[in-house]
């Protein structure tokens, strides 16, 4: 696992009225600080990425649909430099994933419905703080195609 990445199982509490999906509380041991919460959507097959942040840590949870979340450690001073992680998260695998500062990440909506990703970032959005890379460029050694094993 890339240094600083955490995967935390999340609870869903369902009854005949619907469901509560926990994400992050300030009493959780993995809580750091609150900057902002926002939601991002993607249609099936769409790729969002690559990008990294220079100041903020992100906490992703997928509340609708499924995504393939890929992270690449491009931090030269990291013990896991050049390591790649791939996670499948969403309704069928409800988890919170911590993405550390400087880790390049991207995600692809998989399945047949629009995915909704919730991000609780440690800092509010700041223009220029996020670095963007081409999804099919050479910054990250990764092929977004579906692997049929």
């Amino acid at each position: 696992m890339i240094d600083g990445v955490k995967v935390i199982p999340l609870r869903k509490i369902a009854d005949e009225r619907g469901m509560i999906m926990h994400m992050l509380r300030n009493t959780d041991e993995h809580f750091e600080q609150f900057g902002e919460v926002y939601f991002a959507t993607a249609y099936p097959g769409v790729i969002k990425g690559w990008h990294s942040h220079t100041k903020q840590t992100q906490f992703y949870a997928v509340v609708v649909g499924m995504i393939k979340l890929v992270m690449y450690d491009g931090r030269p001073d990291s013990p896991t430099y050049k390591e790649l992680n791939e996670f499948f998260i969403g309704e069928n695998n409800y988890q919170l994933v911590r993405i550390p500062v400087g880790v390049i990440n991207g995600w692809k909506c998989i399945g047949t419905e629009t995915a909704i990703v919730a991000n609780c970032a440690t800092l509010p959005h700041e223009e220029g703080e996020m670095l963007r890379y081409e999804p099919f460029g050479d910054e990250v050694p990764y092929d977004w195609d579906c692997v049929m094993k």
Side-chain angles (χ1 to χ4, degrees), residues 49-54 102-105 128-133:
W50 301 104
H51 69 275
S52 64
H53 288 272
T54 60
V103 170
I104 299 170
N105 67 93
E129 185 272 338
M130 182 170 69
L131 306 175
R132 295 181 186 272
Y133 311 95

Side-chain angles (χ1 to χ4, degrees), residues 12-24:
K12 292 182 182 180
I13 303 168
D15 64 23
E16 66 273 9
R17 301 166 297 159
M19 181 171 33
I20 293 172
M21 300 169 71
H22 284 266
M23 182 177 169
L24 188 60

Side-chain angles (χ1 to χ4, degrees), residues 10-59:
L10 294 175
R11 290 184 56 203
K12 292 182 182 180
I13 303 168
D15 64 23
E16 66 273 9
R17 301 166 297 159
M19 181 171 33
I20 293 172
M21 300 169 71
H22 284 266
M23 182 177 169
L24 188 60
R25 300 165 53 121
N26 67 355
T27 56
D28 290 337
E29 67 179 44
H30 50 271
F31 177 80
E32 294 178 29
Q33 71 182 48
F34 176 76
E36 70 174 344
V37 171
Y38 67 84
F39 300 88
T41 66
Y43 300 122
V46 168
I47 297 166
K48 299 258 186 142
W50 301 104
H51 69 275
S52 64
H53 288 272
T54 60
K55 297 179 184 176
Q56 71 172 237
T57 298
Q58 300 178 297
F59 288 86

